[in-house]
Amino acid sequence: MKERRKEKINDLIKKQVAIILQQEIDNPQKSLVTVTHVEIDSNLNTAKIYVRTLGDEIQSLKFLNRAAGFIRYKLAHKIRLKTVPKISFNIDNSLQE
């Protein structure tokens, strides 16, 4: 896949997942979650979504990964791709150090 298209899809998924998390997910931990970046594989099957949280990172990550199916379902209604990639959430540690 061309890098430009891959970057556009990464940005689109990042923006839409951030909107879904803000407007459609009731986070029981009440922690603030920020989507920092997305990495999609070359065949569009999986997307790793990197997040930063204020609050308990481990609990937030568990919650997000449990809700990944619902988030993927909502994402499918917001973006126009033949297949919506399976998503997994990861803590973004790039700002630590």
Side-chain angles (χ1 to χ4, degrees):
M1 177 189 327
K2 295 184 179 183
E3 281 300 311
R4 175 122 170 91
R5 180 165 187 256
K6 189 175 172 182
E7 287 176 23
K8 287 176 80 173
I9 292 172
N10 284 342
D11 287 341
L12 178 64
I13 291 173
K14 176 184 170 184
K15 288 175 187 173
Q16 292 302 319
V17 168
I19 291 169
I20 292 167
L21 290 175
Q22 181 181 16
Q23 297 176 355
E24 301 184 38
I25 299 290
D26 183 26
N27 185 348
Q29 283 81 30
K30 301 298 182 206
S31 60
L32 178 65
V33 177
T34 304
V35 178
T36 57
H37 67 281
V38 174
E39 292 177 1
I40 195 164
D41 65 356
S42 59
N43 57 5
L44 300 179
N45 284 334
T46 58
K48 293 181 181 177
I49 300 172
Y50 291 89
V51 296
R52 299 282 300 156
T53 65
L54 288 178
D56 187 354
E57 287 185 344
I58 303 299
Q59 290 296 352
S60 295
L61 191 62
K62 285 180 183 178
F63 170 76
L64 291 171
N65 281 310
R66 279 194 311 266
F70 176 76
I71 295 168
R72 182 179 182 215
Y73 170 80
K74 289 294 190 176
L75 190 60
H77 289 85
K78 294 181 179 284
I79 63 175
R80 299 182 72 183
L81 290 176
K82 187 174 181 178
T83 58
V84 176
K86 293 179 183 172
I87 59 176
S88 65
F89 289 91
N90 301 286
I91 299 295
D92 183 4
N93 292 321
S94 64
L95 297 177
Q96 293 178 352
E97 290 180 14

